[in-house]
């Protein structure tokens, strides 16, 4: 069986990093082998999340395909009927959330909705208020500042695309810098689930081609990579296994935009299950 990306990195980090800088005593070959075997067997603790592994995880997240939906809505390549935003997560749902994982996932969903509403020039005040509460509860208030930044005035399509890409990279780096890797993955998982709901939205219109335009392929790749990350980090953060298991069925429902529309109810149910 092919070893997972993160497990391989962990083994490498342990074997190479045990002979520590900072004057720490070099571990014996036998100890290194035992640690490596424990990682492969899945018997790991958060204490083994080394700097090397942390850095590789951050880069892996940054290398995910960019989310095309906000950019394409803002550029006019994708259209949603104005006001037809019934698929979006109700702001009242935030009051029902209890765990940090649920709140982080909801943050991702609300940020997806925020980007779409903003691109459609629709009101976002309610969403901003609920995001303030959730990010405060999670002690990640800095995320709000990053995700509500405004693109440069009169930005070209290329500039706006670059702005959104940099915004997600800043989000990933800021959460990692604050030792919030598990919340980072939960948030990105929630954002991906909400974006899947957009792809499945019956009133979605893609200029020139209403059945493909690369949106479904982009979503599939993001969810596939998130699934790999959640699987590999689940030994450190058990809630991530739940996220990965619930996101996994989305891929077969996003093969094309038309298939996503046909599975609209199931995709919404998967999104909702992330908050239960």
């Amino acid at each position: 069986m092919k070893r997972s990306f993160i497990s391989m990195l962990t083994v490498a980090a342990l074997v190479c990093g045990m002979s520590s800088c900072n004057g720490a005593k070099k571990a014996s070959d036998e100890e290194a082998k035992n640690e490596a075997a424990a990682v492969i067997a899945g018997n790991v603790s958060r204490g083994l999340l080394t700097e090397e592994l942390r850095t590789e995880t951050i880069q892996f997240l940054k290398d995910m395909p960019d989310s095309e939906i906000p950019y394409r809505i803002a550029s006019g390549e994708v259209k949603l009927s104005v006001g037809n935003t019934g698929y979006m997560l109700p702001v009242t749902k935030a009051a029902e959330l209890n765990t940090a994982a649920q709140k982080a996932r909801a943050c991702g969903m609300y940020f997806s909705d925020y980007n779409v509403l903003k691109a459609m020039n629709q009101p976002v005040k309610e969403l901003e208020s609920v995001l303030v509460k959730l990010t405060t509860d999670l002690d990640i208030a800095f995320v709000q500042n990053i995700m509500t930044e405004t693109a440069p005035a009169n930005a070209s399509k290329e500039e706006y695309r670059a702005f959104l890409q940099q915004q997600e990279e800043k989000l990933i780096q800021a959460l990692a810098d604050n030792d919030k890797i598990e919340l980072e993955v939960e948030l990105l998982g929630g954002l991906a689930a909400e974006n899947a709901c957009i792809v499945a939205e019956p009133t979605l219109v893609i200029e020139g081609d209403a059945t493909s335009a690369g949106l479904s392929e982009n979503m599939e790749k993001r969810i596939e990579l998130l699934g790999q990350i959640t699987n590999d980090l689940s030994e450190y953060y058990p809630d991530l296994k739940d996220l990965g298991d619930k996101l996994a069925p989305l891929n077969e429902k996003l093969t094309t935009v038309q298939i996503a529309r046909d599975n609209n109810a199931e995709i919404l149910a998967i999104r909702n299950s992330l908050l239960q």
Side-chain angles (χ1 to χ4, degrees):
M1 181 182 293
K2 183 180 177 183
R3 277 188 203 167
S4 67
F5 174 86
I6 300 294
S7 293
M8 290 175 68
L9 287 171
T10 309
V11 173
L14 284 166
V15 173
C16 300
M18 302 275 301
S19 56
S20 186
C21 333
N22 305 328
K25 183 180 178 181
K26 183 176 180 179
S28 69
D29 289 343
E30 191 59 37
E31 288 173 331
K33 287 178 184 176
N34 289 340
E35 291 283 14
V39 172
I40 293 170
N43 302 320
V44 296
S45 69
R46 287 182 60 176
L48 292 179
L49 191 63
T50 63
E51 182 59 30
E52 293 91 340
L53 174 57
R54 178 179 166 280
T55 299
E56 293 289 350
T57 303
I58 295 164
Q59 191 57 52
F60 203 46
L61 288 169
K62 287 182 178 179
D63 287 344
M64 286 193 304
D66 299 329
S67 177
E68 293 283 332
I69 290 173
Y71 161 74
R72 291 194 175 188
I73 288 176
S75 67
E77 293 176 28
V78 167
K79 295 183 174 68
L80 288 170
S81 298
V82 175
N84 191 12
T85 54
Y87 73 88
M88 291 185 175
L89 187 68
V91 292
T92 53
K93 184 66 180 176
E96 303 172 17
L97 308 177
N98 299 308
T99 70
Q102 289 173 342
K103 291 179 180 181
R105 294 171 190 181
C107 276
M109 295 171 193
Y110 287 130
F111 279 128
S112 170
D113 296 341
Y114 176 89
N115 283 335
V116 171
L117 289 175
K118 200 166 183 184
M120 292 169 60
N121 294 314
Q122 296 294 300
V124 293
K125 189 172 181 179
E126 272 194 316
L127 276 178
E128 286 177 336
S129 296
V130 78
L131 282 165
V132 166
K133 179 173 189 321
L134 289 175
T135 55
T136 300
D137 287 351
L138 293 168
D139 193 25
I140 55 170
F142 54 87
V143 167
Q144 177 87 351
N145 296 330
I146 294 171
M147 295 303 286
T148 56
E149 286 178 356
T150 303
N154 303 314
S156 66
K157 287 185 180 182
E158 293 71 22
E159 289 170 336
Y160 188 68
R161 184 194 292 269
F163 165 79
L164 290 174
Q165 180 180 354
Q166 291 164 8
Q167 186 182 52
E168 184 164 289
E169 289 191 0
K170 283 167 67 176
L171 168 73
I172 290 168
Q173 190 63 56
L175 283 163
D177 288 345
N178 283 270
D179 195 26
K180 302 285 187 181
I181 282 184
E182 77 281 19
L183 296 184
E184 176 174 28
V185 179
E186 297 281 14
L187 190 153
L188 290 171
L191 191 148
E194 193 75 348
N195 282 351
C197 294
I198 299 173
V199 176
E201 169 56 39
T203 62
L204 179 76
V205 177
I206 301 173
E207 192 172 84
D209 183 351
T211 59
S212 60
L215 271 185
S216 57
E217 181 182 0
N218 178 281
M219 284 297 308
E220 280 186 295
K221 287 179 180 177
R222 283 179 70 90
I223 290 171
E224 181 182 350
L225 288 173
L226 279 169
Q228 186 174 345
I229 294 168
T230 56
N231 180 64
D232 292 331
L233 287 181
S234 61
E235 294 296 338
Y236 300 94
Y237 307 105
D239 280 341
L240 292 183
K241 184 176 188 309
D242 174 73
L243 176 69
D245 288 347
K246 287 179 175 175
L247 285 178
L250 280 178
N251 259 0
E252 65 182 27
K253 302 181 189 303
L254 291 167
T255 308
T256 67
V257 172
Q258 187 55 55
I259 288 175
R261 286 173 173 166
D262 293 342
N263 287 277
N264 178 272
E266 290 89 344
I267 289 172
L268 285 169
I270 290 170
R271 187 275 310 274
N272 293 339
S273 74
L274 292 179
L275 301 179
Q276 294 171 355

